[in-house]
Amino acid sequence: MSKKKSQSELSKLMESQQDLEHNVKAPIPTHPQGWEPGVKFNHDKKQGTITSRPTTNSNPEFSDLLKDWGFDPKHYTILDNTLQVRTWDMNMGQGNIQQAWYYRATIVANDLALTDKDYAKLLKWIQSHKRKPKPKIKKPNRSFFVAISDLQLGKRDGGGTEAIIQRFLDKIDTVKERYEFLRKAGMEFDQLTIVGLGDIVEGCVGFYPDQTFSVELDNRSQIKVARKLIAKAIVEWSKDFDLVVVGAVPGNHGAKRVAKGVAPTGEMDNADLEVFEQLGEIFAQNDSYNHVNFIIPDEPHLTFNICGTVCSFTHGHAIGMGGGTPEVKVMKWWANQAFGWQHPGDSKLLISGHYHHYIHKTDPRSWFQVPSLDESTWFKNQTGKQTQQGLFTVVIEDTDRGYSNAEIV
């Protein structure tokens, strides 16, 4: 037997039994840039971002995505309107190309997902308040006024919704400090007037290209947070006034849009009005709040008499199209309202939201464009300016000018 043949037989004797294919190395998976699977979670804030592993399932259950990364669906939630989807053709080797689906979304602990039965809880809270009746004011002469505008609750900019909530809660106290300061200076108020000037919520679609990916709360949760915050402000401030008047106008972000510029049910089907309308129904259930009155208009603009001075309120998007600066557009619109015998043309004061920064013009009627409380990266990128955050306050009175002590707090 030759040496070569001997070696060949030896090799056969040394071979292991391998009836089934095994130990085959799978091709190294590749992922779209920026869509590498993983999870980033901040345990202090109880929220984070999850990016799924590639899957061939084009419609997975949210609970499965959570479980895949070790999060119990009983304790964590994926926010619907934060879900992003990406497909990718993966080379599996040997000419096999397979389509993979990737999913990215914001996850939050359930205690931040706002799933409580909010309306009933808020109603019970407000009903528990008891207030001693006071005589009604027959002819009020001076009102302290607060504008609530452009909170855009639900957006991520400037610290996100948590930062906006904290700013608003801080302003509840600073507004109170402001009217108490004026009272100590000898000024008496017959009423408090509060008007929501629109864009109370951010909305979820249809305002700028990347909006869907820049919100952290869905529509229902945005409205819920707004309702709670504004209810707290009304409850606290109303303790210090015998008469409270609350009004609201719709903003563009409150419109129920399904695409850019598309609001199938109309601009008045609006979350900004919805928040105040619900609050009006809740406060009406408690006789202790008989001194709190609500005005919800049937059109985009609101005009009513405040302590002898006719005032109009609007969100800037509702003044119509036209070129020029906000001042040029608003002044032209206001003049046309007067020329056309429309109710905003009767007003001595016009107070508007929408443009995010503070403008005051007197000529001789007065227009106040109030600042926003949000921090808008989009606005800064568009204009190069940053907003002066705050709530606009002013004393409205029965005088020739119609106002005094305008202040942003």
Side-chain angles (χ1 to χ4, degrees), residues 396-408:
I396 298 177
E397 53 197 2
D398 189 8
T399 62
D400 290 341
R401 192 169 66 162
Y403 75 93
S404 65
N405 293 282
E407 183 80 15
I408 297 171

Side-chain angles (χ1 to χ4, degrees), residues 114-178:
L114 302 171
T115 57
D116 63 307
K117 296 180 180 179
D118 172 71
Y119 194 91
K121 287 177 64 177
L122 195 58
L123 176 59
K124 184 177 180 181
W125 173 52
I126 290 173
Q127 283 181 328
S128 66
H129 174 69
K130 302 298 181 183
R131 178 179 182 270
K132 295 181 180 179
K134 293 185 178 181
K136 293 183 178 180
I137 302 297
K138 293 183 178 180
K139 187 180 179 182
N141 295 310
R142 184 181 292 120
S143 173
F144 187 81
F145 173 86
V146 185
I148 300 176
S149 184
D150 296 274
L151 306 185
Q152 293 188 218
L153 287 161
K155 70 191 304 183
R156 298 182 186 277
D157 288 12
T161 305
E162 286 189 10
I164 298 174
I165 289 172
Q166 189 57 57
R167 289 187 206 115
F168 189 88
L169 293 174
D170 291 342
K171 298 306 178 186
I172 292 177
D173 294 333
T174 54
V175 165
K176 184 180 180 72
E177 290 167 2
R178 178 61 181 164

Side-chain angles (χ1 to χ4, degrees), residues 21-35:
E21 186 179 56
H22 66 289
N23 289 356
V24 177
K25 189 179 185 302
I28 299 174
T30 58
H31 311 287
Q33 185 176 2
W35 284 77

Side-chain angles (χ1 to χ4, degrees), residues 172-189:
I172 292 177
D173 294 333
T174 54
V175 165
K176 184 180 180 72
E177 290 167 2
R178 178 61 181 164
Y179 61 68
E180 287 179 345
F181 170 81
L182 293 173
R183 278 177 170 157
K184 289 178 181 178
M187 188 167 287
E188 296 182 359
F189 298 112

Side-chain angles (χ1 to χ4, degrees), residues 185-303:
M187 188 167 287
E188 296 182 359
F189 298 112
D190 300 313
Q191 75 178 58
L192 167 69
T193 308
I194 306 165
V195 176
L197 291 174
D199 284 5
I200 303 300
V201 298
E202 167 70 0
C204 291
V205 66
F207 300 98
Y208 36 84
D210 63 344
Q211 186 188 27
T212 305
F213 308 117
S214 67
V215 295
E216 55 187 354
L217 296 179
D218 59 23
N219 279 307
R220 176 170 171 254
S221 296
Q222 290 176 23
I223 293 172
K224 189 180 297 186
V225 172
R227 191 166 59 228
K228 288 184 175 181
L229 285 178
I230 297 172
K232 182 173 180 60
I234 296 173
V235 167
E236 293 301 318
W237 297 337
S238 67
K239 297 174 183 177
D240 301 321
F241 294 86
D242 294 334
L243 176 63
V244 180
V245 178
V246 183
V249 295
N252 53 307
H253 278 261
K256 305 294 179 65
R257 296 188 181 184
V258 296
K260 184 175 177 57
V262 181
T265 52
E267 293 294 325
M268 296 302 289
D269 184 8
N270 195 286
D272 299 323
L273 296 179
E274 191 174 334
V275 168
F276 283 90
E277 199 163 42
Q278 291 170 356
L279 288 172
E281 294 173 0
I282 294 171
F283 276 90
Q285 301 303 310
N286 187 349
D287 290 341
S288 297
Y289 288 96
N290 284 343
H291 67 304
V292 180
N293 303 297
F294 283 77
I295 305 174
I296 309 298
D298 294 323
E299 57 181 276
H301 318 298
L302 174 63
T303 300

Side-chain angles (χ1 to χ4, degrees), residues 295-330:
I295 305 174
I296 309 298
D298 294 323
E299 57 181 276
H301 318 298
L302 174 63
T303 300
F304 63 100
N305 189 307
I306 302 177
C307 296
T309 295
V310 178
C311 303
S312 288
F313 306 93
T314 193
H315 196 71
H317 83 294
I319 65 174
M321 304 299 291
T325 64
E327 180 179 327
V328 170
K329 289 190 285 188
V330 171

Side-chain angles (χ1 to χ4, degrees), residues 348-375:
K348 185 179 290 185
L349 301 182
L350 173 64
I351 303 178
S352 65
H354 182 60
Y355 294 109
H356 285 235
H357 54 287
Y358 179 64
I359 305 173
H360 174 211
K361 181 178 177 61
T362 297
D363 190 26
R365 304 187 192 197
S366 294
W367 167 50
F368 293 97
Q369 158 59 42
V370 310
S372 67
L373 203 58
D374 82 313
E375 182 178 325

